[in-house]
Amino acid sequence: MADKKTFYITTPIYYPSGKLTIGNAYTTVAADSMARYKRAQGYDTFFLTGDDEHGLKIEQKAEAQGIKPQEYVDKMADSYKKLWKMLDISYDKFIRTSDPEHVAAVQKIFEKLLKQGDIYLGEYTGWYSVEDEEYFTESQLAEVYKDDDGNVIGGKAPSGHEVRLVKEPSYFFKMSKYADRLVEYYKEHPDFILPHSREKEMINNFIKPGLEDLSVTRTTVDWGIPVPSDPKHVVYVWIDALSNYITALGYGSDDDSLFKKYWPADVHLVGKEIVRFHTIYWPIMLMALGLPLPKQIFGHGWVLMKDGKMSKSKGNAVYPEMIVERYGLDALRYYLMREIPFGSDGIFTPEDFVERVNFDLANDLGNLLNRTVSMINQYQDGMVAPVVKDQDEFGEDLMKTAKETIAEYEKQMDALHFSQALDAVWKLISRANKYIDETTPWTLNKEGKKEELSRVMTNLAESLRLVAILISPIMTQNPVQMFKQLGLDWNNADQKKLEFGGFGWNVKVTEKPTPIFPRLKNDVEVKYIKEQMKKAKPKKQTRSEQKQEKHITIDDFDKVKIQVGQILSVEPVKGSNKLLMFKLDFGDGQERQILSGIRKFYPDASELLDKKVLAVTNLKPRKMLGHESQGMLLSSEKNGEVKLAIVSDEHANGAQLG
Ligand code: MSP
């Protein structure tokens, strides 16, 4: 027997930096719907999702919770898997970039690219915000300062914090070398990037102006994959993240049978802001590795809110758990796939959500099922007779619509047009509802036209059987209930033939009709969703409020080691107008280096020499602009004026406060 055709689909791997919103769920539900559709069509399908666990942000999150990065990402990965379970996401593998197999494979990939000269050591120049601990390119800055000649000399990060120019050693990937081959590839594969408009964007905005070499390592980040031949460097973001699509299949390991079977991917689903990485960097990496390119990258749009992007701090984020708990999973999955045409942006409003559930699900679909099952029970004692060949004009038209619906649905699903595919299904639902009005079964019953009535009931049941099958990749729970109410068995493949008359019926309905989607009270539910969104907004607290909020125990206090240190030297940090670098004596015969952002309060820092100050000495060391800071100097702040906590000479160096 010939091998089954394979289908490999992926989602981006999410940064585990917080709770996932319905925006993140959007890609994953889309990928899951596609995977289910392909499986149902008989494809041997592999569906990959996962998370992107390395980097400074994650390190900071872990630090804020007082735990190790590994412990933090373990917790987050578990919470994501829990969410995917709640959303019925049928992934075949959840990759984590801290998986040892992934780490080893990325190291191999890096060394190979280095050895063959695609990666070289250079110097990274970029804009760095100490407060955000993040690098920005000039174009990402919210504000730039220029000198008289128009040279950029500083600026502000999107957070509003000042940035400064930093230079540090970094490895670079020679992107430009592959630019022509890439454009050629686009030309030969017109459906490589979808929607097509995104291809033009890539060529005009990034490739034509000249591809810059990509900085692929950092020396100022610890939580990452070390470069084996130069472990001061960790692999920075994209080589680590993008490789997941092949390392998950065992590329670079002893067992690469999955890789041989499924690569190249049929489609990578990604949000529009990361299309660039997937359609430029990723294909170039693969070319350099001598591997085939994915068949397609689909850049979908964003789920937005009326006031722009969803964010926890704005109080406009919608979390999937809340929707699922109150309205059921299928309401969420249906809404996401129906409301926003895949590829475009869309706006979530509680009003639209409630309307969709009420109109499409409770009215159109729910009522059709309810009326049909009720009539079958009432008029025919639950019996659905076999499908008959000779139909009247209305029956013929219903059959025709069903046939067209299936063809249109498949065409749209194959193109990842989920919304249009559902549109087609709802045409059939409307047609079936109209069929009830046209045939008026209650009159047929009254007039004793048993044969006609029976034909109408079978046609309705058959339409609903098809609808259940068609929506099942997107809605995972209701089709099973629909089958049950129609006297069918979801696990019986014979009953799932996708063709009008594909199942012979002669079935007895035993279930009582129960609404699959209760009608929602518009204003009550809109209010409910809005309240939940507000509830999720974190209250802004100042640091001192946070400190005052609750009592701490003496054990909490004992965790903080505060010692007296004497300043041996102090100098400004190059490239920063905030930081001073101190060397201090804590009485243990070793110099300790601490950085502090107080430069502007001590224009003549030499006045601090020999002074005795207080410092927290058991904080985890961290790097600032490439320099390690081994503690924190204590200072006081009032009305924006900051002063170091200086103590008198009678305190011995190293003496501990308590
Ligand atoms: N870690 C990278 C991806 C690496 S893939 C090799 C990343 N992570 S992310 O968590 O920031 O974003 C993951 C995906 O979620 C992106 O595709 C992004 O577009 C998507 N979304 C996040 N919020 C979204 C909406 N509000 N709407 C739709 N998609 C959104 O980028």
Side-chain angles (χ1 to χ4, degrees), residues 5 99 141 178 482 596:
K5 273 180 79 177
D99 287 340
L141 295 179
Y178 293 91
M482 288 172 68
S596 181

Side-chain angles (χ1 to χ4, degrees), residues 12-15 23-24 26-27 52 238 241-242 244-245 270-274 278 300-303 310:
I13 47 174
Y14 299 97
Y15 290 128
N24 304 107
Y26 182 62
T27 330
D52 191 354
W238 290 105
L242 290 163
N244 92 86
Y245 300 128
V270 301
K272 61 178 184 181
E273 83 287 13
I274 54 173
H278 284 80
H300 65 73
W302 284 338
V303 184
M310 241 180 257

